Amino acid sequence: MAQQTVAVVGTGACGLSMLKTLREDGFKVTAFERRKQVGGLWAYTKDTSMTTALPSTRALISKYTCGMSDFPMPDHYPPHLTQAQFQEFIELYAKHFDLLKDIVFDAALKKVSRNEDDTKWRVELVIHGETKVEEFDKVALCHGYQTYPQMPKFEDEKKYEGILTHAQQFRPEDVEKYKGKNVVMVGMSSTASDVINNILPHASKVYVSHRRGMYIFPTWRDNKPADLLLSWRRRQTGFFLQRYVPSVAHWLGDKALDYLMRKSWGYLDPEWRILPSPSIALSLPGASDYIIPLLKTGKITSLHGIKRFLGPRSIEFADGTVLEDIDVVICATGYTADLTVTPFLETSRPPNYSGPELVRLWHNIFPPKYADSIALLCYSAYGKNNGFSFNDVQSMAVSNIFRGAHPLPSLPILESDVDAHHAWLATCWAADKTEGSFDRSMVRNWEFQGFLHEAAGTGMESLGWGIKGWKFWLKDPRMSWLMNHGVETAHAFRYFETGKRRTWEGAREAIVKANEAVGKFPIKREEDLPDYRREMIRIGREVKG
């Protein structure tokens, strides 16, 4: 049988993991990247048509829980990596596994479609400025879900003569144009925080406009990376509750997040409307070390959502407030996947639902009719583990389905599963009363992660409450404890031998090392903290002062 060919689109962490895994499993793989280097959005670019982390961006997740399953983070990196360090790590990964030889750079995807006899995928690309068409047996789209900026439409926005732009367009090289300006930032995301930190020293006044509250958490808690609070056992306990008593799980989750918000930030002025936040069942929480401290010091001011533009520099907000001298409006309102490249995708609407069309993807990844030959890992931000750590699980699952190591249900069952998922989405849409806030790419985390772990063959059921879990505990109680209750590291996904994917002989050592590394937390002496953490403490003291 001839070696099957696969096109992988995108070479961020997701695409590189996919390239490596498929190649290890016997496929002939070619990856296409529209940038001139690997790294995805972590590869900083001045090209404003691309989404990019800024040079000032620092990871929201610590290196202890964020990494690849068989390639540990270098010891010399700080707990939270900068944009440049993340880019370097991704390049090190690509070079270590000799992936660069199979990547075509400056190659932008235009369309994926079936060929005339419906036997292969026809991939249309613009490579070095020239349109080319190639055919492949399989396709994995890994070019990210942060592709198209979601730009809101405002009433009478044509009356406005200032700058109205999306955060995707912001580059620190242009920061001088904000000097002395009054700026409204729409949204409270981590992107908004990044941009605010860049423009605040230059702008005359910065406002934050938002329609509703949001859970916003710092990256540190009690001088310890905040993500170390979560373990595999705690995550699985949450999944158990979500599956069998979802209403209880949502209530407990919201109460826990409310408590953590107040524990992290102390008093939150009701006028800021940070709380109440939409339920965690409807909206992903955010992370920022600066938004709330800047509100507390008065360096930024909270505003209601924009209602309409009144004139060249005049804006009315939802509570009736009118500001007359706004020079710039920047919308940090998120992104959406580019599905124009996949015109073959089907959409539908469940009964009693009048929201946006829902894309028919099994587990938000596979079109039912072609589930054995194409995967869209560019659609949804939901259901992932910490940072890069889930990429290898996804790629192992996709590869196992592509090569038949994990059997697919029949087409009628696949379609029925999609119908059931869409019915669940309809209930979420009905529950979310804020116009335009419903995210159709949501998943039930317990279902999504459970499926991917099973398809990937990670063997993580050996950490459960069943017979496999007890056997592992009796055989190796120390590792059972570390993997259940210690650092939630991706190396665990390569530990168990299941026959469905490659293990990594260094997994045990890496898991032990990660748990030993976090033994220094919480750090007692301020001088031993990383410089960026000391800066957060300084801002906190300024707030209290």
Side-chain angles (χ1 to χ4, degrees):
M1 183 177 178
Q3 187 179 27
Q4 289 200 310
T5 59
V6 186
V8 171
V9 178
T11 61
C14 177
L16 290 177
S17 171
M18 187 67 67
L19 167 59
K20 170 182 171 288
T21 302
L22 289 168
R23 200 172 69 179
E24 288 175 345
D25 286 343
F27 293 97
K28 180 176 175 54
V29 190
T30 305
F32 299 95
E33 170 57 57
R34 64 173 177 160
R35 290 172 166 85
K36 293 179 171 57
Q37 58 184 333
V38 299
L41 61 80
W42 289 102
Y44 177 70
T45 176
K46 295 180 182 180
D47 185 343
T48 57
S49 70
M50 299 184 189
T51 306
T52 183
L54 302 177
S56 59
T57 301
R58 190 175 287 275
L60 303 173
I61 298 168
S62 75
K63 71 174 183 178
Y64 308 106
T65 66
C66 177
M68 309 302 273
S69 63
D70 54 359
F71 191 70
M73 287 275 184
D75 292 338
H76 67 271
Y77 284 162
H80 298 86
L81 276 63
T82 63
Q83 171 270 320
Q85 288 164 337
F86 250 127
Q87 166 64 14
E88 179 184 66
F89 175 73
I90 297 171
E91 288 181 344
L92 290 172
Y93 178 84
K95 291 174 182 177
H96 178 79
F97 292 107
D98 196 22
L99 302 178
L100 297 175
K101 67 182 181 181
D102 292 321
I103 302 173
V104 179
F105 292 101
D106 193 17
L109 177 66
K110 292 303 176 184
K111 187 169 68 172
V112 178
S113 57
R114 296 296 285 177
N115 62 8
E116 289 186 2
D117 55 3
D118 199 23
T119 57
K120 291 179 181 288
W121 290 103
R122 188 176 181 272
V123 181
E124 181 180 335
L125 305 133
V126 176
I127 302 175
H128 308 309
E130 295 184 11
T131 299
K132 295 185 178 180
V133 176
E134 299 186 34
E135 290 192 351
F136 295 88
D137 296 301
K138 320 274 187 184
V139 174
L141 299 178
C142 306
H143 57 296
Y145 49 83
Q146 295 174 311
T147 306
Y148 279 166
Q150 286 187 313
M151 190 68 182
K153 292 294 183 182
F154 299 108
E155 183 180 344
D156 293 329
E157 63 182 49
K158 290 184 178 180
K159 292 181 179 179
Y160 185 63
E161 295 179 3
I163 298 173
L164 176 58
T165 186
H166 192 276
Q168 186 192 56
Q169 307 297 307
F170 177 82
R171 295 295 183 272
E173 291 82 4
D174 301 327
V175 75
E176 280 297 316
K177 70 183 181 184
Y178 299 96
K179 189 172 183 179
K181 305 295 186 183
N182 294 321
V183 181
V184 170
M185 176 67 66
V186 180
M188 296 190 296
S189 64
S190 56
T191 299
S193 179
D194 274 351
V195 177
I196 287 171
N197 285 339
N198 277 271
I199 66 175
L200 197 57
H202 306 273
S204 175
K205 179 66 178 176
V206 177
Y207 303 89
V208 176
S209 166
H210 53 105
R211 296 178 298 170
R212 61 182 188 177
M214 182 178 182
Y215 290 124
I216 304 173
F217 295 102
T219 58
W220 288 76
R221 185 170 179 267
D222 298 328
N223 284 343
K224 179 179 182 179
D227 55 340
L228 296 181
L229 183 67
L230 192 60
S231 65
W232 175 262
R233 178 53 57 87
R234 286 178 176 175
R235 187 184 295 274
Q236 298 309 305
T237 300
F239 287 174
F240 178 87
L241 294 174
Q242 290 171 26
R243 180 173 187 176
Y244 294 108
V245 282
S247 60
V248 173
H250 298 156
W251 183 84
L252 287 173
D254 292 341
K255 291 297 181 184
L257 293 183
D258 285 342
Y259 168 79
L260 289 173
M261 280 284 288
R262 292 186 168 90
K263 181 74 172 176
S264 298
W265 301 117
Y267 175 74
L268 296 171
D269 192 328
E271 291 189 3
W272 300 336
R273 297 167 296 108
I274 304 295
L275 292 177
S277 168
S279 171
I280 192 174
L282 301 173
S283 180
L284 290 172
S288 170
D289 292 311
Y290 299 103
I291 289 281
I292 292 178
L294 290 174
L295 284 168
K296 288 188 174 223
T297 57
K299 291 183 178 179
I300 62 175
T301 300
S302 173
L303 294 171
H304 285 252
I306 292 177
K307 180 179 180 180
R308 58 177 173 168
F309 289 90
L310 299 176
R313 292 289 190 277
S314 180
I315 304 175
E316 181 182 356
F317 296 84
D319 65 338
T321 298
V322 175
L323 296 181
E324 302 284 357
D325 56 350
I326 300 301
D327 304 293
V328 183
V329 177
I330 304 173
C331 298
T333 44
Y335 300 87
T336 186
D338 179 10
L339 298 184
T340 63
V341 298
T342 50
F344 60 89
L345 288 180
E346 297 177 340
T347 60
S348 62
R349 292 177 185 270
N352 302 316
Y353 168 81
S354 55
E357 288 279 345
L358 302 180
V359 182
R360 296 192 65 79
L361 290 172
W362 188 57
H363 288 293
N364 266 11
I365 297 175
F366 303 98
K369 186 178 178 181
Y370 300 109
D372 61 348
S373 66
I374 189 167
L376 284 79
L377 296 170
C378 59
Y379 180 59
S380 176
Y382 284 82
K384 310 296 192 296
N385 252 39
N386 299 330
F388 293 172
S389 67
F390 212 58
N391 287 322
D392 284 344
V393 177
Q394 293 179 137
S395 60
M396 290 185 285
V398 170
S399 183
N400 282 345
I401 287 173
F402 279 4
R403 65 193 178 101
H406 183 80
L408 286 167
S410 65
L411 180 58
I413 292 177
L414 294 175
E415 297 284 10
S416 177
D417 287 349
V418 174
D419 289 339
H421 178 64
H422 283 187
W424 172 76
L425 284 175
T427 65
C428 297
W429 170 81
D432 195 339
K433 303 302 182 183
T434 305
E435 182 181 355
S437 61
F438 169 65
D439 191 333
R440 59 181 181 169
S441 71
M442 290 192 295
V443 297
R444 286 177 285 200
N445 288 349
W446 62 266
E447 180 181 54
F448 181 78
Q449 289 200 17
F451 157 71
L452 286 174
H453 276 292
E454 180 185 3
T458 60
M460 295 297 282
E461 64 272 13
S462 293
L463 299 179
W465 294 281
I467 187 65
K468 289 184 178 181
W470 285 105
K471 284 183 176 180
F472 181 53
W473 177 77
L474 289 170
K475 178 182 178 182
D476 197 335
R478 183 193 182 206
M479 284 305 293
S480 177
W481 175 264
L482 288 179
M483 294 172 74
N484 267 304
H485 304 286
V487 179
E488 193 181 29
T489 166
H491 306 311
F493 306 148
R494 295 276 185 182
Y495 185 82
F496 297 105
E497 178 59 73
T498 65
K500 288 182 74 171
R501 56 87 179 95
R502 294 189 179 192
T503 55
W504 177 45
E505 61 182 12
R508 182 187 183 91
E509 179 183 353
I511 293 167
V512 172
K513 184 176 180 180
N515 280 276
E516 291 174 345
V518 302
K520 64 183 179 182
F521 297 114
I523 295 175
K524 303 297 184 183
R525 300 195 313 166
E526 186 173 321
E527 58 266 33
D528 294 334
L529 291 165
D531 56 354
Y532 65 95
R533 173 58 181 158
R534 292 200 300 272
E535 173 65 11
M536 296 174 209
I537 293 174
R538 184 194 66 77
I539 294 173
R541 286 176 179 152
E542 184 178 339
V543 170
K544 292 178 181 177

